[in-house]
Amino acid sequence: MTGTIEPLSEEDRVEALDALDEWDYDEARDAITRTITFADFSEAFAFMTRVALLAEKADHHPEWSNVWNRVEILLTTHDAGGLSHRDVDMAEAIDGLVG
Ligand SMILES: C[C@H](O)[C@H](O)[C@H]1CNC2=NC(N)=NC(=O)C2=N1
């Protein structure tokens, strides 16, 4: 993908976070985070597989970790040096998967 990607303005970030109820703002990273707990490892990993497919399609990849039934996700845009609309789009897509 070519072209520059700009970080969100403070106004846009505040508005986006207001709508993303399940996500927290990580000021140090200029990122958003969400932790999701599933019934077991199998459910957690199935979710991660679905997110991985979305991430490849969008060419936008989460920083994340998994411990058994828990998945911790951090979204930020490396190419923008902080939060961008790509993170907001990915967060919305992830929320759509979790239901
Ligand atoms: C070359 C490729 O488009 C970039 O490296 C993509 C890949 N996935 C990415 N993922 C994230 N989270 N941020 C990026 O800036 C990013 N850039």
Side-chain angles (χ1 to χ4, degrees), residues 19-52:
L20 292 170
D21 287 339
E22 306 296 331
W23 295 79
D24 293 319
Y25 183 55
D26 179 333
E27 194 171 356
R29 290 291 316 277
D30 194 18
I32 52 175
T33 62
R34 178 174 179 182
T35 298
I36 307 172
T37 303
F38 295 88
D40 53 28
F41 175 76
S42 181
E43 293 284 323
F45 202 79
F47 164 78
M48 293 177 81
T49 303
R50 297 172 79 194
V51 173

Side-chain angles (χ1 to χ4, degrees), residues 14 24 31 34 68 70-71 86:
V14 168
D24 293 319
R34 178 174 179 182
W68 186 50
R70 197 174 72 243
V71 181
R86 288 188 192 165

Side-chain angles (χ1 to χ4, degrees), residues 3-98:
T4 52
I5 172 93
E6 294 296 321
L8 290 184
S9 67
E10 186 181 345
E11 189 184 348
D12 287 348
R13 167 174 40 84
V14 168
E15 192 179 308
L17 271 155
D18 203 44
L20 292 170
D21 287 339
E22 306 296 331
W23 295 79
D24 293 319
Y25 183 55
D26 179 333
E27 194 171 356
R29 290 291 316 277
D30 194 18
I32 52 175
T33 62
R34 178 174 179 182
T35 298
I36 307 172
T37 303
F38 295 88
D40 53 28
F41 175 76
S42 181
E43 293 284 323
F45 202 79
F47 164 78
M48 293 177 81
T49 303
R50 297 172 79 194
V51 173
L53 294 174
L54 282 182
E56 276 295 272
K57 207 169 177 181
D59 192 27
H60 195 64
H61 302 86
E63 296 180 29
W64 57 6
S65 67
N66 160 240
V67 179
W68 186 50
N69 68 340
R70 197 174 72 243
V71 181
E72 294 182 12
I73 306 166
L74 181 149
L75 299 176
T76 192
T77 302
H78 310 126
D79 297 341
L83 202 61
S84 79
H85 74 85
R86 288 188 192 165
D87 304 302
V88 177
D89 293 348
M90 182 59 63
E92 287 171 351
I94 288 170
D95 288 351
L97 286 180
V98 177

